[in-house]
Amino acid sequence: MSKLLVIADVKGDGIATPRGLELANKLGLNAEVYAFVYAPLSRLKVTAAEKAAIKKRLLAEREAEVGSRISKFSRDDQKVKLKVLWEKDVADWVSKKCSKSNYQMVVKTGSQTESFAHASTDWQLLRECPAPVVIVAEKKWRRTHLVMAALDLGSRLPAKKKLNADILRRAIELADAMSANLEIISAVEVPTLLDDLDLIDTHSYVEDAKEDMAPHVRALSKQFAIPEKNFVVKRGPVEKVIASQAAGRRAQIVVMGTVGRKGVKAKLIGNTAERVLTHLKTDILALKP
């Protein structure tokens, strides 16, 4: 059976574990929960045996804590594997694990902080993890049943068109599993410089873009048996359009694509998924091309 990897929360209410177990159950996946512990013990003025005892104690406490959470939120017939690891670089470990084993997705609670000098685990996973990544929001809207797919309907690049199809497949799978409705959102971003200099007619630019998107919408509508009325196109920066539409429709999860970048460029110019995360207040499933 296919499987899902959950990164247990280090602290707080442990949103990733119950949300991950719920997703695994609804999608019919086995769940593997990995909890990480690390503390710099090298500077402690104790013997090697005492350091080993401290490490063993920390691992045992973490296992008990996460195990209790799993017992509380898993179903009686649900297969859940728990592993507690002494590891400092969580993102790197998870990325390597996913490159060696086939996971349908990785689930992690989102963190909205990052500095130039140190990329957070969220950003590292979005850029480097070979498996799709679900970043879950600690607080999100309740009592709504909507899955939202964010597509780039303006691109005619084969890779982007394939990614659009992959996003829709995942979104449909989630909507079916969650007994939710499906809506597709796409943005028409007007070039700010040209608009500021009055070099284009904004209304005409947007209408022309929507007209260019129409054949793509019709093709996807036919391919996936989705009513064309479920496709929504709005003007504005991609991240703001997606976040605004998700908030207005109270989407439970947004499925979208991301292009992983590495190095300084990634820290200076975050990809679309990273920018959306700073605005979005619900779960997001990010897929790579």
Side-chain angles (χ1 to χ4, degrees), residues 31-76:
E32 295 185 2
V33 180
Y34 288 89
F36 298 89
V37 182
Y38 182 79
L41 303 180
S42 59
R43 298 194 177 209
L44 292 181
K45 296 180 180 180
V46 296
T47 65
E50 288 173 319
K51 288 180 183 178
I54 293 171
K55 180 177 177 179
K56 183 177 180 180
R57 175 185 171 184
L58 292 174
L59 287 167
E61 289 177 352
R62 186 84 168 107
E63 184 172 7
E65 174 197 358
V66 179
S68 175
R69 205 176 299 159
I70 290 172
S71 297
K72 179 179 179 180
F73 292 104
S74 62
R75 292 179 174 267
D76 293 337

Side-chain angles (χ1 to χ4, degrees), residues 42-211:
S42 59
R43 298 194 177 209
L44 292 181
K45 296 180 180 180
V46 296
T47 65
E50 288 173 319
K51 288 180 183 178
I54 293 171
K55 180 177 177 179
K56 183 177 180 180
R57 175 185 171 184
L58 292 174
L59 287 167
E61 289 177 352
R62 186 84 168 107
E63 184 172 7
E65 174 197 358
V66 179
S68 175
R69 205 176 299 159
I70 290 172
S71 297
K72 179 179 179 180
F73 292 104
S74 62
R75 292 179 174 267
D76 293 337
D77 58 347
Q78 192 170 12
K79 293 183 178 180
V80 183
K81 170 186 173 182
L82 170 60
K83 184 73 174 178
V84 182
L85 301 167
W86 188 267
E87 177 61 50
K88 182 179 182 180
D89 193 337
V90 173
D92 183 64
W93 188 94
V94 170
S95 295
K96 288 178 179 177
K97 178 72 173 176
C98 290
S99 68
K100 297 175 183 177
S101 187
N102 184 30
Y103 289 94
Q104 290 295 305
M105 58 186 72
V106 172
V107 179
K108 181 193 176 296
T109 301
S111 171
Q112 302 243 337
T113 61
E114 180 179 35
S115 68
F116 176 81
H118 177 71
S120 73
T121 303
D122 296 359
W123 303 147
Q124 286 179 269
L125 287 170
L126 285 169
R127 293 168 186 147
E128 299 169 10
C129 184
V133 178
V134 178
I135 302 292
V136 298
E138 292 191 20
K139 296 179 181 179
K140 68 172 185 173
W141 307 290
R142 299 294 180 187
R143 297 183 297 278
T144 57
H145 301 280
L146 181 72
V147 172
M148 184 169 290
L151 305 184
D152 182 357
L153 293 173
S155 176
R156 293 298 176 267
L157 294 174
K160 285 289 184 70
K161 294 175 75 171
K162 180 182 181 301
L163 182 57
N164 281 340
D166 290 343
I167 291 168
L168 271 184
R169 287 190 190 93
R170 286 282 185 159
I172 291 169
E173 179 186 27
L174 283 171
D176 289 344
M178 297 168 64
S179 299
N181 297 321
L182 174 65
E183 183 174 289
I184 298 92
I185 182 67
S186 190
V188 176
E189 191 160 1
V190 179
T192 304
L193 182 60
L194 299 182
D195 190 24
D196 289 345
L197 296 176
D198 291 327
L199 295 176
I200 57 173
D201 180 283
T202 303
H203 177 76
S204 297
Y205 183 93
V206 173
E207 291 305 308
D208 288 346
K210 288 182 178 180
E211 187 175 334

Side-chain angles (χ1 to χ4, degrees), residues 237-278:
V238 176
E239 63 272 18
K240 291 185 178 180
V241 167
I242 294 173
S244 175
Q245 189 71 5
R249 301 286 289 136
R250 302 173 77 84
Q252 288 300 298
I253 188 167
V254 174
V255 186
M256 64 179 300
T258 174
V259 178
R261 295 192 180 101
K262 297 181 180 180
V264 175
K265 185 177 180 182
K267 296 176 184 293
L268 295 175
I269 310 173
N271 60 31
T272 302
E274 292 174 348
R275 297 198 304 270
V276 170
L277 275 172
T278 65

Side-chain angles (χ1 to χ4, degrees), residues 225-241:
I226 301 171
E228 288 188 32
K229 66 179 181 180
N230 289 28
F231 290 78
V232 178
V233 179
K234 290 191 171 183
R235 170 193 168 184
V238 176
E239 63 272 18
K240 291 185 178 180
V241 167

